[in-house]
Amino acid sequence: MSTPVISAREAEVLALLGEHLSNAEIAARLFISVRTVESHVSSLLRKLELPDRRALSRRSAEVAPARRPEPARALPEPLTAFVGRARERAELAGAVRARRQVTAVGPGGVGKTRLALAVAAEVAGDFADAVWFVDLVPVAGPDRVGAAVAAAVGVGEQPGRGVDESVVAALADRRALLVLDNCEHVRDGVALFLERLLTACPGLRVLATSRARLMVPFEWVVQVPPLSRVGGAESDAVALFLERAAAVGPAPEPAAREEVAALCERLDGMALAIELAAARWPTLGPDGLAAGLGDQLRLLAGGPRADGRHRSVRAVLDWSHDLLEPEDRALLRRVSVFAVPFTVEAAAEVAGFGPLDPAAVADGLGRLAEQSLLSVAHTASGTRYQALETIRQYGGERLAEAGELDGVRARHLEWCLAGAAVPAGADGAEARQRFDAVAEDFRAALAWAAGRPGQRDRAHRLALALAELAFGRNLLGEAQQRFEQAAALAPGGEAAAALREAAGVAGCRRLGEDVYRLLRAAAEAALAAGDLPGAAGDLAAAATAAYRFSSTFARIPPVDEVTGLLERARELGSAGGPAVEAAVALAEAAVVADAYGAVQGDADNTARETVAYAERAVALARRAGDPVAESAALDALSGARSWAGDPFGAAASARRRIDVLAPLPPTPARTQELVDALAMAAGNALGVGRLAQARAWGGQLADHPLLAEAGHHATSWLLVAQALAGRADEVLAGGGRFLTAWEHSGRQRSFVLGPAAAAVAMVHGLRGDGDARAAWLEVADRAGPVLDHRHGYGAVFDAMVLLHHDDPEAALRRLEPEPEQVWKWVCWVWLHWYVALRAEAAVLAGHPEARDRVAAARRVVDGNPVATALVDRALALLDGDVDRQLAAAAAFEAADCPYQAARTLLLAGGGHADAGRTALAALGLTPLPAG
C-alpha cells in the first residue's frame, strides 16, 4: 500500500495531534482558524483511513516524526548571553527533574531570573507538552496570579468556572514546566494557586523565583548565591563583568582583570550590581569605578553579610543614580510607575513635566538604556522600554522621596483613562495584543486610585473601562469583578447600571446564583438612588433568573422568596412604563407559569396557560423596544410551545431571537442571549428537519469567542446536525475538539452534551467501528442525562445504526415504547425523528401494524422535510414502489440530508444500490448492502 501524500500543513497538524492538543490550541500554535484545523483533521482521517482523532494521535509518531515540532517553549529571549554558574545550573536542573515544585530563592539582583531561564531552556526537552514562562512583576495582587498564568499558557476562562479552575483543568494531563518569576510580592496568591494546581496536575512541574520561599507542600528550595569570585580574574563574576563591558565599549585589557576582580569582590558578586558597574567601564575606567563605589560602600558599611548583599545593589543604584543628570534622574523615578514595557509617547505623557522637557524624554530613555537602567525591546508595535523590578522598586522609592508619587501616579491614571477611551480599531489577535500590552498598567493604576477618596470618580471610570475591555478579551471573571468594583466606586445612582452589567457577565459564565445576587443588589442600589422603576425591573429580572437559570444554582432560592421579589416588583413598577411592565410579565411567565421548565417549577401548569403568559411577555418587550428582553421572552415562548406540542412554533420563536439580537453591539447581556439563542435555534431546527439551518447556527455557535475554551458546549449542536446529515469526516474532526474540552472541563454533565456524544457514537456505528462506538456511548452516558439517552436521543441514534446494519427487528425493539410513554424524553428535538424511524422499523421488520404506524407518524411529522421523507420512504417500501423511493431520495437531498438520500438508493436495490454505496463511501460511511 502506497504512503498517502500529506501536505506540509497537514504534517504540522498531525504532529500537534500527537501532542494531544485541542483544535483550538493547534489553531493558536499555527495561527490558523479552528475551522481550518478541523478541515485538516478530516483530510488526515480520510487519507490515513483512520476512525478517529485518537487513532491519528497514535499514528502521528509513525507518519510525521521528522516534522514533529519541539515542545512549546514560551521563554523570553535574553538580549545578552548567560555567563557562568555551571554548578548552580546543574543543581537547579537536577532539582527540576526530580521535584514537583522548585523555588530558586535569593536577594533581588542576584540573578535568579537569568538562572531560571537558562535552566528552563536546558530541561525543556524533558517536558513533552510545553515550557511556559510567567513574569509576575506586573501582577497587581495575589488574586491575579491565576489570570497571569492563564494568559501565558493560552488558557481562557470557561463558562461556569473561574480562570483558576480553567487553568487547572487545562493542565491536568500535561507534562509541562511552568516558570513563575518574581513571586515575592504576590507570594500568598502563588502559594494558594500552586497548591491547587500541583495537586490536580501530576505531570506539571513548577520552577519559581522569589526572594523568600513560598511555603507550599511540594516546595524544594534552592538557594541562589551571588556569582562566584573564586579564581579571581578567572571567576564567574569577572566573566560577567567582562562580557557586559564589552557589549557597550572596549573590553578591559588583560592587565586590568585583577582590578575588575577586586570590584566584583566589593560588589559581593551580585549580578545586577556587576552589570550596572560594567556599563560604566568605558567612561569611568577602573579608577572612576573604584572611587565612586568606595564612597558609597563606606557610607553603608557594617551589619550582617546577608544585608550587605542587598546593600551592594543599592549602593550601585545610588551611585548610578547620582551620576545621572537631574533630568534623567527625574525620568528614571517617574517611569517606575509603569508596570509593563512602555513607549516613548507614554513616558512623555506621564513623566514629561518640569524640570523635564517632554521633547527630551526620548533622548533620556536612550541614555538610561545605555547605562543598563532600562532594557529596550524593538517590537512590531514599536520600541518599548522597561526597568528591571529591582530598579523599578528603587525608582518608586526615589519618587516618594522627591514628593512626586501622587502627582505621577495621577498622571499615569489619566494616561490609562485616555488609553481605555480610544476605540481599539481592530479585532482578533491584534485586539488581544493591544489589551495585553496595557492591561497590567490599567490594573495597577486602578489599584492605586481605588484607595484614594480624591480619585474615586476616575477609579470608577477606569474600572468600567477595564471591565469592558476584559469582557472583549473574554476574561469574564475579571470583567464581572471590575463591573462590581465600578459599582462600589460609583457616584450617585450609577451603581445599579454597573451591577446590571456584572449580572450580564455572570449570565455568560453560566453562574445563575451570581445573576440572582447581582440583580438584587442592583435593585437595592436603584432604590437608594430613588429610581423606583429601575428597582422594579431589577427585582423582576432577579425573579426570572431564579427560574430561568435554576439548573446552575447550588442552592435554589425558596419559592416564597422569589414570589416576594415578584410582588415587590409589581408594587414598585405600577407606574414604571413599558420596560418595567415587560420585565414583570416575563417574571410572571417564569415564576407563575414555569415557562422555562425550572427545577422548582409547578408541574400542574397547563401548556396553554404557559404559552399565553410567554406570548404576553414577548408582546410587551417588543412594545418596550428592548431586543434583549424580547429574546428572553422568546426563549420562554419557545419552551412553552415545545411543551405544548408545537415544534414549528418553538423553532420560529428560537429563530426570531437571533434576528432581534443580530444588530446589537456585543454587550454582556446581548452576548449571553445570543449564545443561548444560537443553541436553542440549532436544536429546534433539528427538531423540525431544517438541517441546513441547524448546521449554520451550530457553526456560528462553534466559532463564537465566548465558547473558545468550552469546545464541548460550542460544538454540541453542530455535531448532532452533521451526524444526522451523515457528514462523517466533520463529525470525527469535531468530536476531537468536543472530547478534549469535555475532559478538560472535569467531564461536565448537561442536557446538550449527551446528544453530541451519542451522535459521534452513531457515526462510528455507521462506519462499522464497534469499539469506537462503545467508547462514545460511555461518554454519552456520562455527559448527559441517562434517561434522556435511554428513551430519547439514544433511541433515535441507536435505531439509525441498527437500521443501517439491516437489523430492523432490533431497531423496532429499541423504539418499542409508544411516543406518549416516553414523551418527556422524545418531545422537542427528537419526537419527529423517533416516530418516523419507528414507522420505518415497523415496515422493514414486517410488523402487522406497520401501515397504521406510518399513517400515525405522517400526522405528527407533517411539515418536517426530513421526517416526512422518512415516512414517505417507509410507505414506498411497504408498497414496493421504487419510483416513490427515488422521490424520497430527492427530498432528502433537498433537505440537506445526504446520508438518508444515499441509504434510500441502497434500499431501492438494483442499479440504484451501487449509486447508494458510492454516495455512502463519499460520506466516509460503511456502504453495507441492503437487507
Side-chain angles (χ1 to χ4, degrees), residues 577-604:
V580 176
E581 189 178 4
V584 171
L586 181 57
E588 290 172 341
V591 178
V592 178
D594 190 25
Y596 293 110
V599 174
Q600 70 273 40
D602 184 354
D604 294 332

Side-chain angles (χ1 to χ4, degrees), residues 263-359:
L263 287 171
C264 292
E265 184 64 40
R266 298 174 70 182
L267 294 173
D268 292 317
M270 297 296 284
L272 176 59
I274 290 172
E275 293 193 5
L276 292 172
R280 293 286 185 175
W281 175 271
T283 54
L284 295 179
D287 294 341
L289 285 172
L293 290 175
D295 289 342
Q296 291 290 337
L297 292 176
R298 277 197 298 274
L299 291 173
L300 297 170
R305 181 65 171 173
D307 289 343
R309 292 175 182 171
H310 289 278
R311 287 200 302 273
S312 66
V313 174
R314 178 171 293 281
V316 175
L317 288 172
D318 284 339
W319 166 71
S320 296
H321 176 268
D322 291 345
L323 290 175
L324 298 174
E325 295 297 324
E327 293 81 0
D328 289 349
R329 294 180 198 171
L331 181 59
L332 179 64
R333 66 178 178 259
R334 291 171 184 175
V335 297
S336 68
V337 299
F338 287 102
V340 291
F342 54 89
T343 63
V344 171
E345 294 77 13
E349 287 189 43
V350 173
F353 62 96
L356 183 59
D357 183 351

Side-chain angles (χ1 to χ4, degrees), residues 102-136:
V102 179
T103 306
V105 173
V110 78
K112 300 184 296 296
T113 298
R114 291 301 303 273
L115 176 60
L117 284 172
V119 169
E122 179 181 333
V123 303
D126 295 348
F127 298 93
D129 291 326
V131 176
W132 294 293
F133 178 86
V134 186
D135 182 6
L136 296 178

Side-chain angles (χ1 to χ4, degrees), residues 100-103 136 145-146 149 164 167-168 171 178-180 183 186-201 204-209 214-219:
R100 295 291 312 284
Q101 197 268 301
V102 179
T103 306
L136 296 178
V145 171
V149 174
D164 288 14
V167 172
V168 171
L171 303 187
L178 185 64
V179 182
L180 299 180
C183 297
V186 286
R187 189 172 61 159
D188 291 343
V190 172
L192 290 172
F193 179 74
L194 286 186
E195 190 164 353
R196 291 180 59 199
L197 186 69
L198 291 172
T199 299
C201 306
L204 186 70
R205 303 212 173 173
V206 173
L207 171 58
T209 73
L214 303 177
M215 306 297 290
V216 292
F218 296 100
E219 186 175 31

